[in-house]
Amino acid sequence: MQSADAPALTQRLTFTVVIDGVRRDLVQSQVYLFLSDVEDPEKRAVIRLVLTATAAQHDAVLGDFQYFVRTVRPDTEAGA
């Protein structure tokens, strides 16, 4: 999920929550993208993207999340 132009840190967390007395095992994928300003490369932004799903659902939706992460980039249109 990272490139030389947009390095990233990815981490996967697992945890359990109880909602209305029901125990749920959750998995969270977090991606931190480090983007350079298109006009001033010395300026950087950190973008945090998070997917949280049940343990049973996570692997089924992870590919869509990875696709979404690859589409995140600075807006280079004038006036943005």
Side-chain angles (χ1 to χ4, degrees):
M1 278 192 245
Q2 78 176 21
S3 71
D5 293 330
L9 168 70
T10 303
Q11 61 183 358
R12 182 175 170 140
L13 308 170
T14 58
F15 51 97
T16 301
V17 297
V18 177
I19 301 172
D20 295 330
V22 177
R23 179 184 161 136
R24 303 240 185 240
D25 293 324
L26 300 179
V27 178
Q28 187 174 80
S29 291
Q30 301 178 353
V31 178
Y32 294 83
L33 295 177
F34 305 95
L35 302 175
S36 295
D37 186 287
V38 293
E39 293 180 11
D40 183 356
E42 296 297 317
K43 293 181 182 177
R44 306 208 26 103
V46 177
I47 309 296
R48 179 177 176 233
L49 305 165
V50 178
L51 165 68
T52 304
T54 65
Q57 298 169 324
H58 188 267
D59 289 344
V61 296
L62 182 59
D64 289 337
F65 179 65
Q66 291 170 329
Y67 175 79
F68 168 71
V69 169
R70 286 191 297 272
T71 68
V72 176
R73 58 187 38 90
D75 187 351
T76 58
E77 293 184 30

